[in-house]
Amino acid sequence: MNFATLHLPTRQLRQVLAFDALAGAGLAVLHLALAAPLAAWFGLAQGLLTAMGWALPVYALLAGLLARQRTPSRAWLLLLVLGNLGWALACLALAWGGTGVTPLGQAYLTAFAVAVLVLADLEFLGWRAPGLRPAV
């Protein structure tokens, strides 16, 4: 196998993007509907969980729009990949550098980061695919 040419075909990329959009929307509902109990369980500020809940639909909308495109835009896809990387790093920093985060909160944020990194990797492999549109 040649890793230099490894990529995800457009059809599978669109499936990954659709899953990413659905997962983001589901987590947004979770964070917005259960911010107070999650804050207590995870040792996180309720405002932070609510802010995450409002940021996730914007992300999910972009992933969903890209999933619906016959050939997703490379520029928007790269933005999504970079956003995933930033989100994962923020989750890990909060999980392991934040004060007052409970073990359950650490587990949640770490699992969240790992899942987001897997999606970022798959989306990056799709970004590498030949034939994607170069811009918007």
Side-chain angles (χ1 to χ4, degrees):
M1 174 179 286
N2 183 357
F3 289 109
T5 59
L6 186 64
H7 68 275
L8 192 67
T10 303
R11 181 173 176 266
Q12 284 81 15
L13 170 62
R14 292 176 60 215
Q15 291 172 340
V16 168
L17 290 166
F19 174 79
D20 199 359
L22 288 172
L27 284 168
V29 170
L30 178 75
H31 282 206
L32 291 171
L34 300 173
L38 290 176
W41 297 335
F42 297 160
L44 298 170
Q46 183 175 343
L48 174 65
L49 289 165
T50 301
M52 289 170 73
W54 286 115
L56 284 164
V58 174
Y59 174 85
L61 178 64
L62 176 58
L65 289 173
L66 288 172
R68 294 184 49 86
Q69 293 179 353
R70 184 172 178 88
T71 53
S73 162
R74 286 177 54 91
W76 286 109
L77 187 55
L78 184 59
L79 179 66
L80 202 66
V81 169
L82 294 175
N84 273 340
L85 291 175
W87 190 274
L89 290 174
C91 284
L92 290 173
L94 185 59
W96 300 101
T99 57
V101 179
T102 66
L104 182 60
Q106 289 176 320
Y108 175 76
L109 289 168
T110 301
F112 200 162
V114 169
V116 167
L117 286 172
V118 168
L119 289 168
D121 185 44
L122 291 171
E123 291 162 356
F124 178 72
L125 289 175
W127 178 83
R128 291 179 52 166
L132 288 185
R133 293 184 299 146
V136 184

